Amino acid sequence: MKLSSLLAAAFAALAAAVLVAQQPQPQTPDAPPVTFRVEVNYVEVDAIVTDAQGNLVRNLTMDDFELLEDRKAQTITAFSLVDIPLERAERPLFASMPIEPDVQTNTTGEGRLYLIVLDTLHTAPSNVPRVKSAVRQFIERSFGENDVAAVVFTGGQTGDTQDFTNNRRLLLAAVDRMIGMKSPGATLSRIEQIGPGRQQGDILNDPLEFERASSARNAMERIRELSNFMASVRGRRKAMLLVGEGVEYNFTDILGSNQATGVLESVRDAIGAATRANVAIYAVDPRGLTSPDSELISTVGSPAADDRSLGDLGARSIAREFRQSQESLRMMAEDTGGFAVLNQNDFQSAFTRIVRDNSSYYVLGYYPTNDRRDGRFRGISVRVKRPGLMVRARRGYVAPRGRPPGAAPAPANPLSAAVGEAMASPLPVPGIPMRLFAGAIKGEAPNATVALSLELGVQGFSFAEANGTFNDRLELRFTATNTLGKQIGSGAHAVNIAMKPDTFARVRTRGLRVLTQMDLPPGRYQVRIAAAESGAGKSGSVIADVEVPDFYKQPLAMSSLALTTTSAGETLTVKPNDPLAALLPGPVTATREFDRADALSVFAEFYENQRNAPAHVINIETTLRAPENGRIVFQNSEERRSAELEGGRGGFGVTTQIPLGNLTPGLYVLRVQARSRNLPQEAGVGRDIQIRIR
């Protein structure tokens, strides 16, 4: 059944507190308009300022800066200092690794933003382990808990990529899916043409020239697309870690090959898009310290290195191609405000510098006096008036080409348009504070049901008081996108809020909760929920990575853990569709911090898929461990018998109440696990989540 057909009945149960309409309603005449970003002739520049000792300088003001474009002074209209700490995941002392959160928010502090681009088209298969090792090192050592990153490839399967997330496990899994697809260089491909019948003066063709040019253009096109995608993110530095061996073209001699001209244009377009989007490229050559002609060693029996009749075809041409590939990396990095990591095996020092670059910097915005869209390079110079300081900023940008886009028409429904804008953002939008729990339970085959509990802070809402009630309107939209970028599920709700004064006071303090669901087949998804309210024109979004197991095939499978408390019902809850309503004593909460005066309830389901198995017992255990030493402060064990399923492949549902009154404040680990005595010990399943007691 579709969600839309359930809305009227579901919300009628909320009486006069909250009303829901399936069709958009016109805004009240006195409601403030929702504002939108529009494309304007606006340029942002990041500036990193250091003193003579190389220390970052953080106490400058807008008046300390001068900004010139093509030697003409520009008026700085936007200015901010970004100073981001490197946060580490909080974990109990007894845990060897941080525990992945099962709730996502849009209220964490701003972190660094990384686009990790693995250039599969320009990485030799033999160098793939070096790429994986280097990038794993970056993610494991230099990636902060407040950072977000995406892993994409220039070639290969689209579904192997990972969209923006702060989940290290998912990022590392994407890195592990990398393959090397680099073609042999021009020298090696020509050497392979040498045969017994070759005569001196014979022309050695390069049979892979077209393929190499196509790979170069495709890689540059991917960089251009990614840069354009990030153009809407303003007010922060965007770092692209480009890991690969570069393209082997001499960009100063485009007449040397029929294919080089097209490659050069692709490189220019990629760099132009990056400069316009303020994306800094950090190019990392995974080959490290190596001899350029080492590739000749693998060419068994080749006379090229010693055969003078081949001209410079051999060690010298290999070295030339090596230099050209590194020069392409250096050029892309320097032209966009980053740097290239070449001829070094110590990647960690380079990664430390990249983190430093993206942690403390100034953002300067201006409207250039030259607004011509001629596609030409505009030089940028950023200066600081204080003596003795050094400034590093990108050297300029490439102006757009073609006619400027026309003014966007006023949206017919500004509220829906604001939701759409928040939904389209590459990153979570913090305008409305949100917490999201997205948990999977068994659904109608072959799908799972993903229960969604969204909690919203309403402190920034502007409620209109009329006839003794406080009124506002909220629109929600949610989608699930698979690894191929295809939207698999979606839904929308419109909420007309009308509250009495006592309910209004409670909502102001505790916020608002919406419970709904999506039905999804097994797989990896990114779930996005966006919301906008009409009163103050606020909008926000939250993003969660959701992995849906195949509950119908695994010998023993487990649902997500769903929590509620005795006080959860005090939060005003809208229930268009609550798949866990009959399984918990209260509404599912996305809160993971609880008061000791509360009582916690946890629900889990376990599913066996063993047909005609002998009668056996399922052991289910729930534990809560203390933060200091892992001591078990709560334990509950149950035995369930396979006969309960009557030969079917159903589920064992377990709801456990955990009193919190005797616990000391701190971070605890809640674990629910099960083991079937009909399966090997290692076939047991379990889940951990982290909660805080205050």
Side-chain angles (χ1 to χ4, degrees):
M1 182 180 294
K2 294 184 178 180
L3 291 175
S4 58
S5 64
L6 301 176
L7 288 178
F11 287 105
L14 294 173
V18 179
L19 302 177
V20 171
Q22 292 178 309
Q23 298 298 325
Q25 300 296 319
Q27 289 182 284
T28 55
D30 55 350
V34 181
T35 58
F36 303 91
R37 293 194 303 269
V38 295
E39 182 173 342
V40 294
N41 186 27
Y42 176 75
V43 177
E44 278 188 345
V45 185
D46 303 329
I48 300 168
V49 184
T50 56
D51 60 20
Q53 290 73 42
N55 300 312
L56 294 166
V57 178
R58 297 178 171 88
N59 61 349
L60 300 177
T61 67
M62 184 190 303
D63 294 336
D64 291 315
F65 285 88
E66 292 180 338
L67 195 153
L68 293 84
E69 180 178 299
D70 288 344
R71 300 182 180 181
K72 295 181 180 179
Q74 306 293 312
T75 301
I76 301 173
T77 57
F79 175 86
S80 64
L81 167 65
V82 178
D83 200 1
I84 305 172
L86 183 64
E87 296 181 1
R88 297 301 183 187
E90 188 178 19
R91 61 179 176 86
L93 297 178
F94 67 86
S96 59
M97 294 288 291
I99 296 171
E100 289 184 15
D102 67 327
V103 167
Q104 296 299 319
T105 75
N106 64 353
T107 58
T108 55
E110 183 179 277
R112 286 150 289 269
L113 177 59
Y114 300 113
L115 270 166
I116 302 174
V117 181
L118 306 184
D119 192 359
T120 51
L121 295 174
H122 297 97
T123 301
S126 60
N127 282 327
V128 168
R130 293 179 61 84
V131 173
K132 292 181 178 180
S133 175
V135 179
R136 288 186 70 90
Q137 182 179 345
F138 174 77
I139 294 172
E140 292 173 346
R141 300 184 188 179
S142 303
F143 188 75
E145 185 67 16
N146 51 332
D147 297 340
V148 292
V151 176
V152 296
F153 308 114
T154 57
Q157 295 290 335
T158 304
D160 290 337
T161 63
Q162 173 59 51
D163 208 336
F164 283 108
T165 183
N166 65 350
N167 187 312
R168 284 184 178 83
R169 176 179 59 83
L170 296 179
L171 293 171
L172 292 172
V175 172
D176 286 340
R177 292 190 286 269
M178 180 191 179
I179 58 175
M181 305 170 65
K182 181 183 178 182
S183 303
T187 295
L188 293 182
S189 65
R190 285 174 176 158
I191 287 175
E192 291 177 357
Q193 307 305 305
I194 299 174
R198 187 192 65 83
Q199 300 293 322
Q200 185 172 352
D202 285 352
I203 297 176
L204 299 176
N205 294 318
D206 177 5
L208 299 179
E209 181 180 10
F210 180 82
E211 177 183 332
R212 221 172 6 259
S214 177
S215 293
R217 290 193 296 270
N218 288 339
M220 294 304 108
E221 175 65 13
R222 174 53 65 95
I223 293 172
R224 186 190 67 82
E225 291 173 345
L226 292 170
S227 297
N228 288 338
F229 178 69
M230 297 306 299
S232 63
V233 178
R234 298 287 192 179
R236 63 189 302 180
R237 190 173 179 87
K238 293 156 280 188
M240 179 183 294
L241 272 66
L242 176 63
V243 187
E245 300 171 25
V247 296
E248 299 167 349
Y249 282 91
N250 181 2
F251 298 134
T252 63
D253 182 19
I254 63 173
L255 299 180
S257 165
N258 292 331
Q259 304 296 332
T261 303
V263 172
L264 178 60
E265 290 301 316
S266 297
V267 173
R268 284 176 172 169
D269 288 345
I271 293 176
T275 58
R276 288 190 296 274
N278 200 25
V279 172
I281 296 177
Y282 296 88
V284 180
D285 186 345
R287 294 171 292 189
L289 282 170
T290 186
S291 173
D293 59 0
S294 61
E295 295 183 49
L296 284 175
I297 299 174
S298 62
T299 311
V300 180
S302 168
D306 300 315
D307 190 343
R308 294 180 180 274
S309 69
L310 300 178
D312 69 348
L313 188 63
R316 283 180 293 177
S317 60
I318 285 281
R320 182 172 60 249
E321 292 169 8
F322 186 87
R323 288 193 302 271
Q324 289 173 351
S325 68
Q326 289 200 328
E327 184 60 28
S328 72
L329 296 174
R330 181 182 291 108
M331 182 184 68
M332 286 188 289
E334 292 180 354
D335 285 353
T336 59
F339 58 81
V341 184
L342 310 173
N343 302 319
Q344 64 181 76
N345 294 328
D346 179 17
F347 294 116
Q348 186 55 49
S349 61
F351 293 153
T352 300
R353 185 181 169 195
I354 290 172
V355 172
R356 189 169 179 259
D357 266 13
N358 289 272
S359 297
S360 296
Y361 52 90
Y362 295 89
V363 179
L364 313 175
Y366 70 100
Y367 295 91
T369 54
N370 181 359
D371 59 0
R372 291 192 296 272
R373 300 174 63 89
D374 52 14
R376 294 187 176 183
F377 179 78
R378 307 270 196 265
I380 293 177
S381 176
V382 180
R383 304 171 182 171
V384 175
K385 299 175 184 177
R386 294 190 195 179
L389 300 183
M390 298 292 294
V391 181
R392 185 159 63 86
R394 61 188 168 102
R395 298 184 300 191
Y397 69 99
V398 178
R401 286 181 287 211
R403 292 183 178 180
N413 186 337
L415 196 58
S416 295
V419 176
E421 185 179 347
M423 181 70 77
S425 172
L427 304 175
V429 177
I432 299 176
M434 295 180 176
R435 285 191 300 265
L436 173 64
F437 165 75
I441 61 174
K442 196 172 186 179
E444 184 175 346
N447 290 338
T449 294
V450 178
L452 304 176
S453 176
L454 177 69
E455 296 176 349
L456 306 96
V458 302
Q459 292 82 358
F461 287 20
S462 180
F463 292 92
E465 186 176 2
N467 301 321
T469 63
F470 293 86
N471 309 285
D472 205 344
R473 179 177 172 80
L474 181 72
E475 285 199 9
L476 296 172
R477 193 178 304 169
F478 52 94
T479 64
T481 306
N482 67 10
T483 56
L484 297 175
K486 182 179 180 181
Q487 183 175 295
I488 303 299
S490 64
H493 304 312
V495 182
N496 288 328
I497 306 173
M499 299 176 293
K500 298 296 185 181
D502 56 340
T503 305
F504 174 67
R506 180 158 46 94
V507 169
R508 277 290 199 190
T509 302
R510 300 186 64 93
L512 174 70
R513 180 187 296 117
V514 178
L515 302 180
T516 187
Q517 72 172 56
M518 304 179 75
D519 293 322
L520 300 172
R524 292 188 296 123
Y525 301 93
Q526 189 169 85
V527 173
R528 292 170 173 259
I529 299 187
E533 65 91 29
S534 62
K538 298 286 186 180
S539 63
S541 65
V542 63
I543 303 172
D545 294 292
V546 177
E547 295 177 87
V548 178
D550 192 336
F551 293 127
Y552 290 89
K553 289 186 177 180
Q554 299 176 15
L556 182 63
M558 179 183 181
S559 73
S560 300
L561 301 183
L563 306 184
T564 190
T565 62
T566 52
S567 65
E570 298 177 13
T571 298
L572 185 62
T573 302
V574 180
K575 303 178 182 179
N577 199 355
D578 180 7
L580 299 174
L583 305 174
L584 278 169
V588 181
T589 180
T591 300
R592 293 296 180 261
E593 185 172 335
F594 307 106
D595 194 280
R596 284 182 294 171
D598 224 332
L600 180 66
S601 295
V602 55
F603 169 80
E605 273 188 339
F606 298 90
Y607 316 104
E608 274 204 303
N609 296 297
Q610 304 176 72
R611 291 191 182 277
N612 303 318
H616 58 277
V617 171
I618 308 293
N619 295 106
I620 301 174
E621 183 179 59
T622 302
T623 59
L624 188 66
R625 292 183 177 271
E628 300 86 4
N629 51 16
R631 179 175 57 90
I632 295 177
V633 296
F634 175 87
Q635 185 173 20
N636 180 71
S637 299
E638 297 186 33
E639 287 190 352
R640 306 293 289 272
R641 301 189 178 276
S642 58
E644 297 178 33
L645 302 181
E646 298 179 348
R649 296 187 297 173
F652 301 97
V654 176
T655 302
T656 306
Q657 279 79 38
I658 304 175
L660 307 178
N662 295 326
L663 301 179
T664 58
L667 205 60
Y668 290 78
V669 175
L670 173 64
R671 178 172 180 79
V672 182
Q673 61 185 16
R675 184 174 66 86
S676 171
R677 295 186 187 176
N678 193 52
L679 294 171
Q681 179 77 24
E682 59 271 16
V685 293
R687 289 184 183 272
D688 295 316
I689 62 173
Q690 203 165 258
I691 64 172
R692 177 175 293 281
I693 307 299
R694 59 176 183 265

